[in-house]
Amino acid sequence: MKGTIIKGIGGFYYVRNAEGEITECKARGKFRKERILPMIGDEVEAEVKNGKGTITEIYPRRTKLIRPAVANIDAVVIVAAAKSPDPNTALIDRMLVNAEINGIRAIVCINKSDLADSCALESIYKNAGYETAAVSAATGEGIDRLFSMIEGKTAAFAGVSGVGKSSILTLITGSELETGEVSEKISRGRHTTRHVELFPVRGGGYVLDTPGFSSVETEDITPGELGNCFPEIRAVSGECRFRGCAHIDEPDCAVKALLENGGMAVSRYESYKELYELQRSKKTWK
Ligand SMILES: Nc1nc2c(ncn2[C@@H]2O[C@H](COP(=O)(O)OP(=O)(O)OP(=O)(O)O)[C@@H](O)[C@H]2O)c(=O)[nH]1
Ligand SMILES: [Mg+2]
Ligand SMILES: [Zn+2]
């Protein structure tokens, strides 16, 4: 049987075939030996006996993201809240960099636009060259437009705990996903969504709900390549005086000029500098 892994819990993988039937599967031992871990979103071949399955083959992944760990997505929807919790631009930028490294389309979605004005935050990412969507899962505003941006595609929703990923996906999938109060999440240090799960949606696409997180590691990249992961830097870096300009202390730097004339958000540049130092400090490049 051919199918897609839609969920994994306690060593079991739930594989959904084209008819929509779901089979509980174990991964064949050879995967463990080869240190290959099946991922949610993987297309697999499974042998089914008496209703129990064994995954025998994992088809080549079109895309792969590590945080959240999902395979074969077309887009990642990075969700932040206009308020409660307050937006964390450093985390958003790290997630955007990981999407760039893996060649995955990124959409920045600002939820809870009913609680605070989201324009300033939205324009940071629009100006950087990203698709954006301001929505409210509470009022339903913007949800149809967001859906039209991912219709027919496989999109993973990622972001800090409490921003409303599951609330948005409840509206998009039409099935009630578990959600929880932000205050409860903070006081109990518990995220409501505990595992990645893939849901089919009307129009032939899929969405993936993922657990919230509070930190994001960027994947390995040389400091020199980092600028290419910021679209607004990528667009102007050819105009710097020095080839290989780090855009930090060099004279006649086009990125610095962009920053000074307001063409790049200060928070974006701060993220770039922080990540540049971080990547440079990694031993592998020395
Ligand atoms: N005012 C307002 N509240 C919202 C909105 N969207 C979600 N919430 C509330 O925010 C809280 C957190 O929502 P969840 O959907 O559980 O958030 P999550 O991102 O899935 O969180 P984790 O699963 O822990 O990662 C819930 O109490 C929701 O009712 C919104 O647009 N406006
Ligand atoms: Mg959730
Ligand atoms: Zn420069």
Side-chain angles (χ1 to χ4, degrees), residues 50-113:
N50 307 324
K52 298 276 173 210
T54 306
I55 296 172
T56 55
E57 192 179 346
I58 300 172
Y59 289 101
R61 293 167 178 150
R62 290 187 301 278
T63 62
K64 179 178 153 186
L65 201 59
I66 292 170
R67 189 83 159 180
V70 290
N72 298 323
I73 60 168
D74 302 306
V76 58
V77 179
I78 299 173
V79 185
K83 197 183 153 180
S84 178
D86 284 338
N88 182 333
T89 53
L91 278 189
I92 298 171
D93 293 336
R94 285 179 180 221
M95 289 166 64
L96 287 169
V97 166
N98 283 342
E100 296 280 344
I101 292 173
N102 292 290
I104 295 169
R105 171 184 167 212
I107 298 167
V108 178
C109 170
I110 299 149
N111 187 34
K112 308 201 188 186
S113 56

Side-chain angles (χ1 to χ4, degrees), residues 181-212:
E181 293 296 327
V182 175
S183 57
E184 263 224 327
K185 294 180 205 276
I186 295 166
S187 61
R188 290 158 82 195
R190 220 184 74 178
H191 301 169
T192 308
T193 304
R194 302 297 202 91
H195 46 256
V196 178
E197 185 163 354
L198 184 146
F199 299 91
V201 283
R202 63 187 190 280
Y206 296 91
V207 291
L208 293 96
D209 194 10
T210 74

